[in-house]
């Protein structure tokens, strides 16, 4: 499956993978900033998000779709940058094709087998209850409250709401597509095989789950301490695009030349 994409600039490819409640438009402010800095940002819609409609009953392997789309775009080697779901898919792609990945920048990661905090469970329950009642407006409101911080601007919240509404409407209409077997397996053993340089981050106001998940991921990847992105929640790159781009570009400048 070739994924819908937006790209800009020329230079080292930097693949931007969005969070679960969003789509590739979360990177709209990042594309010109990164292109002006001399890299080639590529923002993808993951299967079931944005314009990446999944045919009924099709098993999805987002990591494979990402790699196939990058083949199509002529990007042989690249940096992967992901937020939340995007961080997970970046890791899945990295263990599937480690020779192609020059670096990893991962924000808002939590392994699926990590028990949910009360705060995260409340957020999940609010969304599920609203969806079960067919109340899309309430589900969107719950999601915006959960995934953005009190510091988020009205524009950021409105953008998050539009993306979340599209994702939840797709979920209500078609359900969740079945996933292929996760190449990460269980535990951190597979992650520890990755040798690409990595940076792990978390929003200052994100839930404790993602601080814990980020710290564990940073240890597994030998990435040093997780970086805290100030005045941001779970969708830290969306809330703080300039700060995120500065972190990403500083990381890229420390990589060996292509």
């Amino acid at each position: 499956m070739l994924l819908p994409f937006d790209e800009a600039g020329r230079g080292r490819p930097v693949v931007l993978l969005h969070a679960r409640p969003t789509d590739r438009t979360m990177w709209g402010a990042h594309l010109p900033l990164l292109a002006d800095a001399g890299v080639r940002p590529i923002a993808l819609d993951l299967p079931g998000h944005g314009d990446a409609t999944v045919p009924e009953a099709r098993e999805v392997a987002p990591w494979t779709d990402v790699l196939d789309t990058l083949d199509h775009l002529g990007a042989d080697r690249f940096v992967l940058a992901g937020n939340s779901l995007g961080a997970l898919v970046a890791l899945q792609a990295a263990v599937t094709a480690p020779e192609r990945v020059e670096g990893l920048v991962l924000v808002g990661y939590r392994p699926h087998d990590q028990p949910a905090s009360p705060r995260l469970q409340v957020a999940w329950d609010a969304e599920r209850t609203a969806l079960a009642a067919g109340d899309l407006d309430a589900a969107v409101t719950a999601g915006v409250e959960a995934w953005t911080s009190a510091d988020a601007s009205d524009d950021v919240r409105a953008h998050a709401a539009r993306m979340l509404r599209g994702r939840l409407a797709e979920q209500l209409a078609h359900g969740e597509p079945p996933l292929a077997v996760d190449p990460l397996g269980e535990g951190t053993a597979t992650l520890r095989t990755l040798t690409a340089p990595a940076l792990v981050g978390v929003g200052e106001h994100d839930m404790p789950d993602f601080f814990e998940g980020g710290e564990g991921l940073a240890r597994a990847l030998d990435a040093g301490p997780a970086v805290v992105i100030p005045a941001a929640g779970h969708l830290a790159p969306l809330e703080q695009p300039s700060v995120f781009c500065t972190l990403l570009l500083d990381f890229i400048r420390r990589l060996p030349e292509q």
Side-chain angles (χ1 to χ4, degrees), residues 21-220:
T22 69
D23 54 50
R24 74 183 192 275
T25 68
M26 78 168 279
W27 305 109
H30 304 72
L31 294 177
L33 294 174
L34 295 172
D36 287 348
V39 299
R40 179 192 176 192
I42 303 170
L44 303 177
D45 273 339
L46 295 172
H49 297 75
D51 297 322
T53 303
V54 177
E56 290 290 339
R58 177 189 182 272
E59 183 180 77
V60 295
W63 52 93
T64 300
D65 296 333
V66 166
L67 295 170
D68 288 347
T69 304
L70 294 173
D71 285 341
H72 174 73
L73 294 172
D76 182 53
R77 289 176 58 78
F78 39 79
V79 173
L80 290 170
N83 179 201
S84 188
L85 170 64
L88 173 63
V89 175
L91 289 168
Q92 292 166 328
V95 301
T96 301
E99 72 285 354
R100 300 181 64 181
V101 179
E102 297 182 314
L104 291 160
V105 177
L106 310 165
V107 176
Y109 173 81
R110 168 191 171 274
H112 288 309
D113 59 356
Q114 179 180 300
S117 70
R119 184 176 163 193
L120 179 57
Q121 192 63 56
V122 165
W124 284 346
D125 289 346
E127 181 182 293
R128 289 169 181 161
T129 300
L131 288 178
D135 191 342
L136 186 58
D137 289 342
V140 170
T141 298
V144 171
E145 289 302 312
W147 309 123
T148 63
S149 74
D151 294 321
S153 68
D154 290 343
D155 286 346
V156 164
R157 285 173 168 262
H159 188 184
R162 288 194 300 273
M163 294 186 289
L164 184 58
R165 181 176 297 277
R167 169 61 186 146
L168 294 179
E170 174 74 12
Q171 183 178 329
L172 280 173
H174 302 291
E176 293 283 3
L179 276 173
V181 176
D182 189 341
L184 295 179
E186 297 182 1
T188 60
T190 303
L191 290 176
R192 293 181 186 279
T193 67
L194 294 174
T195 58
L199 182 151
V200 177
V202 63
E204 178 185 10
H205 303 306
D206 204 351
M207 301 180 191
D209 310 73
F210 302 99
F211 280 86
E212 181 181 345
E215 290 164 1
L217 180 62
R219 288 193 298 271

